[in-house]
Amino acid sequence: MPRPLSYILSEVGVAAGLAFNGLPAHAGQTDAIRLLDKTAPAGTPLALHIGGRVVSRDGYQRQWPGTYWETAFRGSAVDLAVGPGAVSLRIRVDGGPPVSLVRPAPGLYRIAAKGPGAHRVRIDVASESQTEPSVLRGLYAPRGVTPLPAPAARPRQIEFIGDSHTVGYGNTSPVRQCSQDAIWRTTDTTQGVAGVTAAKYDADYQVNAISGRGVVRNYGGFAAPTLPEAYPFALFDGRTPAATPGWHPQVVVIALGTNDFSTPLKPGERWADRDALHTDYEHRYVAFVGWLRMAYPNAFFVLWATDLADGEIAREVGKVTETLRAGGERRVAFVPVNGLSFTGCDSHPSVADDQRIAAAIERAIDAQPDIWGAR
């Protein structure tokens, strides 16, 4: 049974630090990441290609998972300025193995590259930030390093909308029982459904997902904005509207329902019974997809669901898909995914499960021959 509320608690009281989490730096690609002295100058700002929702405030403030920054330079190192807010980062130089920077203290970090030639660096957020935003102040060229144009935006774009299964909550953990610190170190959106699928198609992506949230009901009935309520905003403040110029995904992948149905209704919740919950869920989910259709008129929608809750989630998502089709929606597919191991933290999908889910989504995408031409 998923326990996504533990992720919120995990953001409190864990010491900041540099951790390699079983992903050591590769000597041929990234020789070191080190925190510079507080007096070190920031250098020349580098041009960035940014994926995900960010707010230009004290650098780049973000709260939705899966944000990433890419830059290019000529020289032997680049500096990363980390601001406040708990975050777990994955850093790659020239496409090499990732190095984990888990809950780093604010400051300037030097990332070494192999040799003085042209290099590319990618910084991925692998964690959630439900309690507060985190800030990346930028990437900088230290003295002797030449800024290069930012990597170009990719022509393919995929948006992922969901809950902890889309976040990649605890997916790299070898055990189900995890401490709060272990959840921080084993949640990796880059190895989750979104990261795997986007890499397959060399696509830019957004991950607009929050652990514990549902369509009309959150996990255990806890009070917080549902995913459709939080979705229009760049931050989880309900005030800062999301605005991503140039974002026109050809594919939108949605997985919502686990938190609506994985726990029994409690006294005081607004639904008289399960049937009332089903009706509300179906109506709201259909309306949410209709709202997304207006935003993305040519996108293809993939709605996927596991067989958790004795198949209730998949049955309900299937009904939503049928209702959409009956209303004239043609660019939509329902993808049930059965038989996952759920061996990640708190019985969440593992990396192997994420790969199976991604493969099922990819089959639905590949069945649409014109999908990448539709904008």
Side-chain angles (χ1 to χ4, degrees):
M1 184 73 68
R3 187 163 53 90
L5 284 177
S6 64
Y7 201 99
I8 301 173
L9 299 176
S10 76
E11 298 194 4
V12 181
V14 182
L18 178 65
F20 291 91
N21 190 30
L23 297 171
H26 188 280
Q29 296 289 342
T30 303
D31 298 318
I33 299 176
R34 60 187 177 91
L35 179 62
L36 300 180
D37 187 88
K38 292 181 180 179
T39 61
T44 303
L46 288 164
L48 302 173
H49 170 57
I50 302 173
R53 295 174 171 181
V54 300
V55 177
S56 296
R57 184 185 300 164
D58 190 28
Y60 302 99
Q61 193 175 67
R62 41 71 52 197
Q63 203 159 9
W64 292 95
T67 317
Y68 56 92
W69 297 263
E70 296 176 292
T71 193
F73 62 96
R74 186 178 301 279
S76 59
V78 66
D79 291 345
L80 166 66
V82 177
V87 70
S88 178
L89 303 175
R90 301 294 181 267
I91 300 170
R92 294 177 184 268
V93 178
D94 297 330
V99 172
S100 298
L101 191 60
V102 181
R103 299 181 69 95
L108 195 64
Y109 292 79
R110 179 147 298 173
I111 303 168
K114 181 183 178 182
H119 301 284
R120 291 178 59 153
V121 169
R122 175 165 171 145
I123 313 294
D124 283 273
V125 173
S127 57
E128 282 194 270
S129 300
Q130 286 202 34
T131 60
E132 64 177 352
S134 67
V135 176
L136 186 143
R137 293 203 164 106
L139 286 143
Y140 298 88
R143 180 179 297 180
V145 172
T146 303
L148 295 176
R154 295 167 179 83
R156 294 179 174 181
Q157 299 177 341
I158 310 177
E159 182 167 334
F160 298 85
I161 299 171
D163 52 35
S164 55
H165 291 182
T166 297
V167 170
Y169 176 105
N171 57 344
T172 70
S173 174
V175 296
R176 291 189 174 100
Q177 300 300 316
C178 300
S179 67
Q180 306 306 327
D181 183 61
I183 294 168
W184 261 100
R185 295 174 186 278
T186 61
T187 294
D188 192 343
T189 305
T190 71
Q191 296 191 63
V193 174
V196 171
T197 306
K200 151 88 174 184
Y201 296 107
D202 188 27
D204 278 324
Y205 66 98
Q206 288 189 9
V207 182
N208 298 321
I210 311 176
S211 291
R213 308 300 174 90
V215 173
V216 295
R217 180 175 184 262
N218 297 326
Y219 180 80
F222 82 91
T226 62
L227 198 289
E229 290 171 339
Y231 180 88
F233 302 100
L235 302 174
F236 299 168
D237 56 7
R239 301 188 307 271
T240 308
T244 312
W247 184 246
H248 307 288
Q250 295 100 334
V251 180
V252 178
V253 178
I254 310 174
L256 289 168
T258 298
N259 295 304
D260 297 87
F261 303 119
S262 60
T263 56
L265 288 169
K266 298 183 300 185
E269 293 194 63
R270 72 173 189 263
W271 303 277
D273 53 29
R274 212 71 174 176
D275 287 342
L277 175 60
H278 290 166
T279 299
D280 194 16
Y281 170 88
E282 294 161 20
H283 175 78
R284 184 69 179 95
Y285 201 158
V286 168
F288 183 47
V289 174
W291 186 85
L292 291 167
R293 170 58 73 207
M294 289 189 291
Y296 307 135
N298 296 311
F300 186 81
F301 292 97
V302 178
L303 279 54
W304 69 271
T306 70
D307 55 358
L308 287 176
D310 296 323
E312 182 179 19
I313 302 163
R315 287 192 297 273
E316 285 299 298
V317 176
K319 290 179 183 178
V320 168
T321 308
E322 291 170 3
T323 300
L324 287 166
R325 288 174 175 158
E329 178 60 70
R330 293 293 177 265
R331 294 182 62 78
V332 62
F334 169 49
V335 178
V337 184
N338 303 325
L340 301 177
S341 68
F342 296 106
T343 55
C345 282
D346 299 330
S347 298
H348 279 73
S350 65
V351 167
D353 288 338
D354 288 334
Q355 292 170 348
R356 286 188 59 188
I357 297 164
I361 293 167
E362 290 161 12
R363 287 192 290 272
I365 292 172
D366 293 343
Q368 306 295 318
D370 64 338
I371 200 164
W372 300 114
R375 292 297 295 268

